[in-house]
Amino acid sequence: MRKILHIDMDAFYASVEQQDNPEFRGKPVIVGADPRAGAGRGVVAACSYEARRFGIHSALPIGQAWRLCPDGIYLRPRFSRYQEISGQIMDVFREYTDTVEPLSIDEAFLDVTGSTTLMGPADRIGGKIKAEIRERTGLTASVGVAPNKFLAKVASDLDKPDGFVVVPDDGAAAFLAPLPISRLWGVGPRTESRLRALGLETIGDLATRGRDRLVADLGSGGGHLWNLAVGIDDRPVIANWAVKSVSNETTFERDTRDRDALVSTLRRLSDQVAARLRKKHLRAGTVTLKLRYSSFTTYTRQSGLREPTGDGEIIFQRVRALFDRFELDEPVRLIGVGTTRLTGADGPGTQLGLFADSGADSSGKLSDAMDRIHERFGNRALHRASDLP
Ligand SMILES: [Mg+2]
């Protein structure tokens, strides 16, 4: 059985605004065009749960929202801020699995099947991610844990906000049966009224009707709906990018509190990570320190870089600053350096495009890049040699 998580932030834009502006907390916050500046134009991009009590929801024309709740706090969206927080959330996901499929700025599927041996059962991983998001951003997420994507997505939505719903491996049919058919993917208003005309109200009704009759009712789409109704969904979680993170770590033969030894290990790991980044023509936007004490208590601390880098010295300086904040109450068992938010070495947006097109031009770019790397390795080696006593 696969272990799939669907994680969705609660009222994301509005929650970020409430987090950044404590005076907005507990109040109806509507993010979208300013209704006073352009009455009737634009729609609600997001609204807080307090605003929903007035009947406001996303995609509602902003003029209507204004009439429902004239005393609400109306804000224009700050996409770069939301993007920044989104990056922090995606970084949390990628600490638990490389198989992350973002669906939008604030939600993603994670396949954690391969993570359970090291990190414990999927529901525990889901709980840790939820707590970690809360700790790093102050925001709440709703989590669905299930054996496939469809079930996970339904589960995360069932108990919002701050939801946590687990569908057991053998519990799909029982979980789905009482839910209305509108919860099924692919059931729009038209299909819904056709199904209702057949007397089918719940997903359980659909499952009971059976595959053959549903195909007779609806055509080939009926088979697909029946699969979902009984909890069958084989679609894989597809990571949108082959390389999510580059990291190296070391477990010590004997646990240590020797700061100098730990710092020189961090330097070595930083250089190794940087060399791997350059080899893949990548730069990292975030640096992570991982530290595990002898009790197995593990900490990760992250630092965002203003400019993405493939430079070992820059990575080391960041990771060292993170390390200096630890008191080392216990001996250290493992230490690691990670990098995420990777972009192509030619700048953001190009990503892995360096190798994508063939021809004289790209091979020229490639050799230029190789030369630059050799240059940097050369400089690095000299620089490092001068550091030696
Ligand atoms: Mg959301």
Side-chain angles (χ1 to χ4, degrees):
M1 278 285 193
R2 292 182 298 152
K3 301 291 176 190
I4 311 296
L5 309 183
H6 180 256
I7 303 178
D8 185 20
M9 301 301 293
D10 303 319
F12 183 55
Y13 298 172
S15 302
V16 171
E17 297 299 345
Q18 288 179 319
Q19 184 62 25
D20 286 355
N21 305 280
E23 68 275 22
F24 297 165
R25 293 181 197 165
K27 297 190 177 147
V29 171
I30 299 99
V31 179
D34 182 347
R36 281 151 291 194
R41 290 222 311 264
V43 296
V44 173
C47 62
S48 68
Y49 285 88
E50 294 84 358
R52 291 178 197 201
R53 286 190 210 118
F54 291 85
I56 297 173
H57 54 82
S58 17
L60 186 76
I62 201 90
Q64 280 188 40
W66 175 250
R67 283 191 289 278
L68 289 167
C69 184
D71 296 327
I73 296 158
Y74 287 82
L75 304 168
R76 292 178 194 281
R78 295 183 297 146
F79 290 113
S80 61
R81 177 64 176 150
Y82 309 147
Q83 203 66 56
E84 185 185 351
I85 306 284
S86 174
Q88 294 173 15
I89 294 160
M90 299 292 164
D91 285 346
V92 172
F93 297 163
R94 286 175 186 131
E95 284 170 25
Y96 291 85
T97 174
D98 287 333
T99 315
V100 177
E101 180 179 339
L103 296 182
S104 71
I105 191 169
D106 77 322
E107 66 179 299
F109 285 115
L110 284 66
D111 187 332
V112 297
T113 316
S115 313
T116 52
T117 352
L118 278 171
M119 299 183 184
D123 53 348
R124 195 184 305 161
I125 294 175
K128 279 192 205 162
I129 291 176
K130 201 168 143 69
E132 191 76 34
I133 289 174
R134 181 106 201 206
E135 193 191 315
R136 290 195 203 170
T137 68
L139 302 174
T140 62
S142 290
V143 177
V145 184
N148 64 48
K149 287 168 96 171
F150 168 62
L151 291 165
K153 172 109 173 148
V154 172
S156 73
D157 196 47
L158 218 52
D159 195 23
K160 261 183 167 299
D162 205 17
F164 189 87
V165 174
V166 180
V167 183
D169 284 352
D170 57 357
F175 167 75
L176 291 170
L179 300 177
I181 46 178
S182 55
R183 291 264 178 190
L184 289 171
W185 289 353
V187 173
R190 271 184 58 194
T191 311
E192 189 177 343
S193 57
R194 279 174 78 183
L195 292 170
R196 285 191 190 286
L198 295 165
L200 307 172
E201 303 276 333
T202 66
I203 296 180
D205 294 341
L206 237 143
T208 310
R209 192 162 179 88
R211 171 188 274 278
D212 292 347
R213 284 180 73 191
L214 272 180
V215 171
D217 296 333
L218 300 172
S220 59
H224 169 69
L225 279 190
W226 186 82
N227 277 351
L228 292 183
V230 296
I232 298 171
D233 175 21
D234 293 332
R235 285 163 311 155
V237 176
I238 298 166
N240 65 342
W241 196 356
V243 186
K244 290 303 178 194
S245 66
V246 171
S247 61
N248 271 22
E249 57 185 44
T250 291
T251 304
F252 297 104
E253 276 177 34
R254 292 179 59 186
D255 300 353
T256 178
R257 299 170 98 137
D258 180 341
R259 276 193 179 269
D260 291 344
L262 289 163
V263 166
S264 71
T265 303
L266 287 176
R267 181 181 279 285
R268 176 172 56 80
L269 293 171
S270 299
D271 280 343
Q272 288 170 353
V273 165
R276 285 174 57 201
L277 285 172
R278 290 191 301 259
K279 203 172 158 195
K280 292 172 194 275
H281 300 272
L282 294 169
R283 288 177 186 170
T286 299
V287 174
T288 305
L289 168 72
K290 178 173 170 185
L291 191 147
R292 176 170 293 151
Y293 285 124
S294 52
S295 62
F296 277 84
T297 311
T298 306
Y299 295 90
T300 57
R301 290 292 179 265
Q302 292 195 320
S303 180
L305 300 167
R306 212 179 314 145
E307 292 278 316
T309 190
D311 188 305
E313 184 64 24
I314 293 172
I315 293 170
F316 169 67
Q317 292 302 340
R318 280 305 176 105
V319 93
R320 178 175 191 166
L322 294 169
F323 173 75
D324 285 343
R325 295 188 214 153
F326 280 90
E327 300 284 350
L328 302 189
D329 309 322
E330 291 176 47
V332 174
R333 175 184 169 81
L334 172 151
I335 203 160
V337 174
T339 53
T340 52
R341 287 177 59 214
L342 307 183
T343 50
D346 279 358
T350 56
Q351 301 192 348
L352 298 176
L354 191 60
F355 298 105
D357 49 326
S358 51
D361 185 49
S362 70
S363 67
K365 271 203 287 194
L366 178 60
S367 60
D368 284 354
M370 295 303 285
D371 287 346
R372 287 202 300 270
I373 288 166
H374 284 139
E375 250 174 54
R376 285 173 99 162
F377 272 125
N379 291 343
R380 228 0 343 100
L382 281 172
H383 177 71
R384 194 63 76 243
S386 67
D387 267 359
L388 293 171

